[in-house]
Coordinates of all heavy atoms in Angstrom, one line a residue:
M1 N 14.0 0.8 8.8 CA 12.8 0.0 8.5 C 13.2 -1.2 7.8 O 14.0 -1.2 6.9 CB 11.8 0.9 7.7 CG 10.6 0.1 7.3 SD 9.4 1.0 6.2 CE 9.3 2.6 7.0
A2 N 12.6 -2.3 8.2 CA 13.0 -3.6 7.5 C 12.5 -3.6 6.1 O 11.5 -3.0 5.7 CB 12.3 -4.7 8.3
P3 N 13.3 -4.2 5.2 CA 13.0 -4.1 3.7 C 11.6 -4.7 3.5 O 10.8 -4.2 2.6 CB 14.1 -5.0 3.1 CG 15.2 -4.9 4.0 CD 14.6 -4.8 5.4
S4 N 11.2 -5.8 4.1 CA 9.9 -6.4 3.9 C 8.8 -5.5 4.3 O 7.7 -5.4 3.6 CB 9.8 -7.8 4.6 OG 10.0 -7.6 6.0
L5 N 8.9 -4.8 5.4 CA 7.9 -3.8 5.8 C 7.8 -2.6 4.8 O 6.7 -2.2 4.5 CB 8.2 -3.3 7.2 CG 7.3 -2.2 7.8 CD1 5.8 -2.7 7.8 CD2 7.7 -1.7 9.1
H6 N 9.0 -2.1 4.4 CA 9.0 -1.1 3.4 C 8.3 -1.5 2.2 O 7.5 -0.8 1.6 CB 10.4 -0.6 3.1 CG 10.5 0.4 2.0 ND1 9.9 1.7 2.1 CD2 11.0 0.3 0.8 CE1 10.1 2.3 1.0 NE2 10.8 1.5 0.2
Y7 N 8.6 -2.7 1.7 CA 7.9 -3.2 0.5 C 6.4 -3.3 0.7 O 5.6 -2.9 -0.2 CB 8.5 -4.6 0.1 CG 7.7 -5.2 -1.1 CD1 7.9 -4.7 -2.3 CD2 6.8 -6.2 -0.9 CE1 7.3 -5.3 -3.4 CE2 6.1 -6.8 -1.9 CZ 6.3 -6.3 -3.2 OH 5.7 -6.8 -4.3
L8 N 6.0 -3.8 1.8 CA 4.5 -3.9 2.1 C 3.9 -2.5 2.1 O 2.8 -2.3 1.4 CB 4.3 -4.6 3.4 CG 2.8 -4.7 3.8 CD1 2.0 -5.5 2.9 CD2 2.7 -5.3 5.2
L9 N 4.5 -1.6 2.7 CA 4.0 -0.2 2.8 C 3.9 0.4 1.4 O 3.0 1.1 1.0 CB 4.8 0.6 3.7 CG 4.7 0.2 5.2 CD1 5.6 1.1 6.1 CD2 3.2 0.3 5.7
W10 N 5.0 0.1 0.6 CA 5.0 0.6 -0.8 C 3.9 0.0 -1.6 O 3.1 0.7 -2.3 CB 6.3 0.4 -1.4 CG 6.3 0.6 -2.9 CD1 6.5 1.8 -3.5 CD2 6.2 -0.3 -4.0 NE1 6.4 1.7 -4.9 CE2 6.2 0.4 -5.2 CE3 6.0 -1.7 -4.0 CZ2 6.1 -0.3 -6.4 CZ3 5.8 -2.3 -5.2 CH2 5.9 -1.6 -6.4
K11 N 3.7 -1.3 -1.4 CA 2.7 -2.1 -2.2 C 1.3 -1.6 -1.9 O 0.5 -1.5 -2.9 CB 2.8 -3.5 -1.9 CG 2.1 -4.5 -2.8 CD 2.8 -4.6 -4.1 CE 2.2 -5.6 -5.0 NZ 2.6 -5.6 -6.3
I12 N 1.0 -1.1 -0.7 CA -0.4 -0.7 -0.4 C -0.5 0.9 -0.6 O -1.5 1.4 -0.3 CB -0.8 -1.1 1.0 CG1 0.1 -0.5 2.1 CG2 -0.9 -2.6 1.1 CD1 -0.4 -0.8 3.5
G13 N 0.6 1.5 -1.0 CA 0.5 2.9 -1.4 C 0.8 3.9 -0.2 O 0.5 5.0 -0.3
V14 N 1.3 3.4 0.9 CA 1.6 4.2 2.1 C 3.0 4.8 2.0 O 3.2 5.9 2.5 CB 1.4 3.4 3.4 CG1 1.8 4.2 4.6 CG2 0.0 2.9 3.5
S15 N 3.9 4.1 1.4 CA 5.3 4.6 1.4 C 5.8 4.7 -0.1 O 5.3 3.9 -1.0 CB 6.2 3.6 2.1 OG 7.5 4.0 2.1
A16 N 6.6 5.7 -0.4 CA 7.1 5.9 -1.7 C 8.4 5.1 -1.9 O 9.1 4.8 -0.9 CB 7.4 7.4 -2.0
A17 N 8.8 4.8 -3.2 CA 10.0 4.2 -3.5 C 11.2 5.2 -3.1 O 11.0 6.4 -3.2 CB 10.1 3.8 -4.9
V18 N 12.3 4.6 -2.6 CA 13.4 5.4 -2.2 C 14.4 5.5 -3.3 O 14.6 4.5 -4.1 CB 14.0 4.8 -0.9 CG1 15.2 5.5 -0.5 CG2 13.0 4.7 0.2
T19 N 15.1 6.6 -3.4 CA 16.2 6.7 -4.4 C 17.4 7.3 -3.8 O 17.4 8.0 -2.8 CB 15.8 7.5 -5.6 OG1 16.8 7.6 -6.6 CG2 15.4 8.9 -5.2
Q20 N 18.6 6.9 -4.4 CA 19.9 7.4 -3.9 C 20.3 8.6 -4.8 O 21.4 9.1 -4.6 CB 20.9 6.3 -3.9 CG 20.5 5.3 -2.9 CD 21.4 4.1 -2.9 OE1 21.9 3.7 -3.9 NE2 21.6 3.5 -1.7
T21 N 19.6 8.9 -5.9 CA 19.9 10.0 -6.8 C 19.2 11.3 -6.4 O 18.0 11.2 -5.9 CB 19.6 9.6 -8.2 OG1 18.3 9.3 -8.4 CG2 20.5 8.4 -8.7
T22 N 19.8 12.4 -6.7 CA 19.1 13.7 -6.5 C 18.2 14.0 -7.7 O 18.3 13.4 -8.8 CB 20.1 14.8 -6.4 OG1 20.8 15.0 -7.6 CG2 21.1 14.5 -5.2
A23 N 17.3 14.9 -7.5 CA 16.4 15.4 -8.6 C 17.3 15.9 -9.8 O 17.0 15.6 -11.0 CB 15.5 16.4 -8.2
A24 N 18.3 16.6 -9.5 CA 19.2 17.1 -10.6 C 19.9 16.0 -11.3 O 20.0 16.0 -12.6 CB 20.3 18.1 -10.0
E25 N 20.3 14.9 -10.6 CA 20.9 13.8 -11.3 C 19.9 13.1 -12.2 O 20.3 12.7 -13.3 CB 21.5 12.8 -10.2 CG 22.7 13.4 -9.5 CD 23.1 12.6 -8.3 OE1 22.3 11.9 -7.7 OE2 24.3 12.6 -8.0
R26 N 18.7 12.9 -11.7 CA 17.7 12.3 -12.5 C 17.3 13.1 -13.7 O 17.1 12.5 -14.8 CB 16.5 12.0 -11.7 CG 16.7 10.9 -10.6 CD 15.4 10.4 -9.9 NE 14.7 11.5 -9.2 CZ 15.0 11.9 -8.0 NH1 16.1 11.4 -7.4 NH2 14.3 12.9 -7.5
E27 N 17.3 14.4 -13.6 CA 17.0 15.3 -14.8 C 18.2 15.1 -15.8 O 17.9 15.1 -17.0 CB 16.9 16.7 -14.3 CG 15.6 17.0 -13.5 CD 15.6 18.4 -12.9 OE1 16.5 19.2 -13.2 OE2 14.8 18.6 -12.0
C28 N 19.4 15.1 -15.3 CA 20.6 14.9 -16.2 C 20.5 13.6 -17.0 O 20.7 13.5 -18.2 CB 21.9 15.0 -15.4 SG 23.3 14.8 -16.4
L29 N 20.2 12.5 -16.2 CA 20.1 11.2 -16.8 C 18.9 11.2 -17.9 O 19.1 10.6 -18.9 CB 19.8 10.1 -15.8 CG 21.0 9.8 -14.9 CD1 20.6 9.0 -13.7 CD2 22.1 9.1 -15.7
A30 N 17.8 11.9 -17.6 CA 16.7 11.9 -18.5 C 17.1 12.6 -19.8 O 16.7 12.2 -20.9 CB 15.5 12.6 -17.8
R31 N 17.9 13.7 -19.7 CA 18.3 14.4 -20.9 C 19.2 13.5 -21.7 O 19.1 13.5 -23.0 CB 19.1 15.7 -20.5 CG 18.3 16.8 -20.0 CD 19.1 18.1 -20.0 NE 20.3 18.0 -19.2 CZ 20.3 18.2 -17.9 NH1 19.3 18.5 -17.2 NH2 21.5 18.1 -17.2
H32 N 20.1 12.8 -21.1 CA 21.0 11.9 -21.9 C 20.2 10.6 -22.4 O 20.6 10.1 -23.4 CB 22.2 11.4 -21.0 CG 23.1 12.5 -20.7 ND1 24.0 12.9 -21.7 CD2 23.4 13.2 -19.6 CE1 24.8 13.9 -21.2 NE2 24.4 14.1 -19.9
A33 N 19.1 10.3 -21.8 CA 18.4 9.1 -22.2 C 17.3 9.5 -23.3 O 16.8 8.6 -24.0 CB 17.7 8.5 -21.0
S34 N 17.1 10.7 -23.4 CA 16.0 11.2 -24.3 C 16.2 10.6 -25.7 O 17.2 10.8 -26.4 CB 16.0 12.7 -24.4 OG 15.0 13.1 -25.2
G35 N 15.1 9.9 -26.2 CA 15.1 9.3 -27.5 C 16.0 8.1 -27.8 O 16.0 7.5 -28.9
R36 N 16.7 7.6 -26.8 CA 17.6 6.5 -27.0 C 16.8 5.2 -27.2 O 15.7 5.0 -26.6 CB 18.5 6.3 -25.8 CG 19.4 7.4 -25.5 CD 20.4 7.6 -26.5 NE 21.2 8.8 -26.2 CZ 22.3 9.2 -26.8 NH1 22.7 8.5 -27.8 NH2 22.9 10.3 -26.4
K37 N 17.3 4.3 -28.0 CA 16.6 3.0 -28.3 C 17.0 1.9 -27.3 O 16.2 1.0 -27.1 CB 17.0 2.6 -29.7 CG 16.4 3.4 -30.8 CD 15.0 3.0 -31.1 CE 14.6 3.7 -32.4 NZ 13.3 3.2 -32.8
V38 N 18.2 2.0 -26.8 CA 18.7 1.0 -25.8 C 19.4 1.6 -24.7 O 20.3 2.5 -24.9 CB 19.7 0.0 -26.5 CG1 20.2 -1.1 -25.5 CG2 19.0 -0.7 -27.7
L39 N 19.0 1.3 -23.5 CA 19.7 1.8 -22.3 C 19.9 0.6 -21.3 O 19.2 -0.4 -21.3 CB 18.8 2.8 -21.6 CG 18.7 4.2 -22.3 CD1 17.6 5.0 -21.5 CD2 20.0 4.9 -22.4
A40 N 20.9 0.8 -20.4 CA 21.2 -0.2 -19.4 C 21.4 0.6 -18.1 O 22.1 1.6 -18.1 CB 22.4 -1.1 -19.7
E41 N 20.7 0.2 -17.0 CA 20.9 0.7 -15.7 C 21.5 -0.4 -14.8 O 20.9 -1.4 -14.7 CB 19.6 1.3 -15.1 CG 19.8 1.9 -13.8 CD 18.5 2.3 -13.1 OE1 17.5 2.0 -13.6 OE2 18.6 3.0 -12.0
I42 N 22.6 -0.1 -14.2 CA 23.2 -1.0 -13.2 C 23.0 -0.5 -11.8 O 23.2 0.7 -11.6 CB 24.7 -1.2 -13.5 CG1 24.9 -1.8 -15.0 CG2 25.3 -2.2 -12.5 CD1 26.3 -1.8 -15.4
A43 N 22.5 -1.4 -11.0 CA 22.1 -1.0 -9.6 C 20.8 -0.3 -9.5 O 20.7 0.9 -9.3 CB 23.2 -0.2 -8.9
V44 N 19.7 -1.0 -9.7 CA 18.4 -0.5 -9.9 C 17.8 0.0 -8.5 O 17.1 1.0 -8.5 CB 17.5 -1.5 -10.5 CG1 16.0 -1.1 -10.5 CG2 18.0 -1.9 -11.9
F45 N 18.1 -0.6 -7.4 CA 17.6 -0.3 -6.1 C 16.1 -0.4 -6.1 O 15.6 -1.6 -6.2 CB 18.1 1.0 -5.6 CG 17.9 1.3 -4.1 CD1 18.2 0.3 -3.2 CD2 17.3 2.4 -3.7 CE1 18.0 0.5 -1.8 CE2 17.1 2.7 -2.3 CZ 17.4 1.7 -1.4
E46 N 15.3 0.6 -6.0 CA 13.9 0.5 -6.0 C 13.2 1.0 -7.2 O 12.0 1.1 -7.3 CB 13.3 1.2 -4.8 CG 13.8 0.5 -3.5 CD 13.0 1.0 -2.2 OE1 12.2 1.9 -2.3 OE2 13.4 0.5 -1.2
G47 N 14.0 1.3 -8.3 CA 13.4 1.6 -9.6 C 13.0 3.0 -9.9 O 12.4 3.3 -10.9
V48 N 13.3 4.0 -9.0 CA 12.9 5.4 -9.3 C 13.6 5.9 -10.5 O 13.0 6.4 -11.4 CB 13.3 6.2 -8.0 CG1 13.1 7.7 -8.4 CG2 12.5 5.8 -6.8
T49 N 14.9 5.7 -10.6 CA 15.7 6.1 -11.8 C 15.3 5.3 -13.0 O 15.2 5.9 -14.1 CB 17.2 6.1 -11.6 OG1 17.5 6.8 -10.4 CG2 18.0 6.6 -12.7
T50 N 15.0 4.1 -12.8 CA 14.5 3.2 -13.9 C 13.3 3.8 -14.6 O 13.2 3.8 -15.8 CB 14.2 1.8 -13.4 OG1 15.3 1.3 -12.6 CG2 14.0 0.8 -14.5
C51 N 12.3 4.2 -13.8 CA 11.1 4.9 -14.3 C 11.4 6.1 -15.1 O 10.8 6.4 -16.1 CB 10.1 5.1 -13.2 SG 9.4 3.6 -12.5
V52 N 12.4 6.9 -14.6 CA 12.8 8.2 -15.3 C 13.4 7.8 -16.6 O 13.0 8.5 -17.6 CB 13.8 9.0 -14.4 CG1 14.4 10.1 -15.2 CG2 13.1 9.5 -13.1
L53 N 14.3 6.9 -16.7 CA 14.9 6.5 -17.9 C 13.9 6.0 -18.9 O 13.9 6.3 -20.1 CB 16.0 5.4 -17.7 CG 17.2 5.9 -16.9 CD1 18.1 4.7 -16.5 CD2 18.0 6.9 -17.6
R54 N 13.0 5.1 -18.4 CA 12.0 4.5 -19.3 C 11.1 5.6 -19.9 O 10.7 5.5 -21.1 CB 11.1 3.5 -18.5 CG 10.1 2.7 -19.3 CD 10.7 1.9 -20.5 NE 10.0 2.4 -21.7 CZ 10.5 2.2 -22.9 NH1 11.6 1.5 -23.1 NH2 9.8 2.6 -23.9
S55 N 10.7 6.6 -19.1 CA 9.9 7.7 -19.6 C 10.6 8.6 -20.6 O 9.9 9.1 -21.5 CB 9.4 8.5 -18.4 OG 8.6 7.8 -17.5
A56 N 11.9 8.7 -20.5 CA 12.6 9.6 -21.4 C 13.1 9.0 -22.7 O 13.2 9.6 -23.7 CB 13.9 10.1 -20.6
M57 N 13.2 7.7 -22.7 CA 13.8 7.0 -23.9 C 12.7 6.8 -24.9 O 11.5 7.1 -24.7 CB 14.4 5.7 -23.5 CG 13.5 4.6 -22.9 SD 14.3 3.1 -22.3 CE 15.1 2.5 -23.7
A58 N 13.1 6.3 -26.1 CA 12.2 6.0 -27.2 C 11.1 5.1 -26.7 O 11.4 4.1 -26.0 CB 13.0 5.5 -28.4
V59 N 9.9 5.3 -27.2 CA 8.8 4.4 -26.9 C 9.0 3.0 -27.2 O 8.6 2.1 -26.5 CB 7.5 4.9 -27.6 CG1 6.3 4.0 -27.3 CG2 7.2 6.3 -27.1
D60 N 9.7 2.7 -28.3 CA 10.0 1.4 -28.8 C 11.3 0.9 -28.3 O 11.8 -0.2 -28.8 CB 9.8 1.2 -30.3 CG 10.8 2.1 -31.0 OD1 11.3 3.1 -30.4 OD2 11.0 1.9 -32.2
G61 N 12.0 1.6 -27.4 CA 13.3 1.2 -26.9 C 13.3 0.1 -25.9 O 12.2 -0.3 -25.4
V62 N 14.4 -0.4 -25.6 CA 14.6 -1.5 -24.6 C 15.5 -1.0 -23.5 O 16.6 -0.4 -23.7 CB 15.3 -2.7 -25.3 CG1 15.5 -3.8 -24.3 CG2 14.4 -3.2 -26.4
L63 N 15.0 -1.2 -22.2 CA 15.8 -0.8 -21.1 C 16.2 -2.1 -20.3 O 15.3 -2.9 -19.9 CB 15.0 0.1 -20.2 CG 15.6 0.5 -18.8 CD1 16.9 1.2 -18.9 CD2 14.6 1.3 -18.0
F64 N 17.5 -2.3 -20.1 CA 18.0 -3.4 -19.3 C 18.2 -2.9 -17.9 O 19.1 -2.0 -17.7 CB 19.2 -4.0 -19.9 CG 19.0 -4.6 -21.2 CD1 19.2 -3.9 -22.4 CD2 18.6 -5.9 -21.4 CE1 19.0 -4.4 -23.7 CE2 18.4 -6.5 -22.6 CZ 18.6 -5.8 -23.7
A65 N 17.5 -3.3 -16.9 CA 17.6 -2.9 -15.5 C 18.3 -4.1 -14.8 O 17.7 -5.1 -14.6 CB 16.3 -2.6 -14.9
I66 N 19.5 -3.8 -14.4 CA 20.4 -4.9 -13.8 C 20.6 -4.6 -12.3 O 21.1 -3.5 -12.0 CB 21.7 -5.0 -14.5 CG1 21.5 -5.2 -16.0 CG2 22.6 -6.1 -13.9 CD1 22.6 -4.8 -16.9
D67 N 20.3 -5.5 -11.4 CA 20.5 -5.3 -10.0 C 21.3 -6.4 -9.4 O 21.1 -7.5 -9.7 CB 19.2 -5.1 -9.3 CG 19.4 -4.4 -7.9 OD1 20.4 -3.8 -7.7 OD2 18.5 -4.6 -7.1

């Protein structure tokens, strides 16, 4: 699927964001991110892991998402 079509389908709620990480990997990252004040993610792709990290880290923390 063309990236622009995927983006459009995601934007209107028909398609979900894609991730290259497994559920187990995301759970592991969330455990390590728990309560952290500063995190950096390199290679954001579509932001699935970014959302996991943001949810796990400190509410007042800062997440740098680099793509």
Side-chain angles (χ1 to χ4, degrees):
M1 177 182 314
S4 56
L5 176 58
H6 175 65
Y7 175 74
L8 176 62
L9 293 174
W10 170 81
K11 194 72 173 166
I12 62 173
V14 174
S15 181
V18 178
T19 182
Q20 296 173 326
T21 58
T22 66
E25 289 169 331
R26 290 189 302 278
E27 289 169 13
C28 179
L29 289 167
R31 282 194 306 274
H32 288 286
S34 181
R36 303 289 178 174
K37 292 276 191 173
V38 179
L39 291 173
E41 178 188 10
I42 300 172
V44 174
F45 193 50
E46 293 191 2
V48 173
T49 304
T50 310
C51 290
V52 170
L53 293 172
R54 183 60 237 164
S55 295
M57 65 188 297
V59 175
D60 60 341
V62 177
L63 173 59
F64 295 93
I66 304 158
D67 198 22

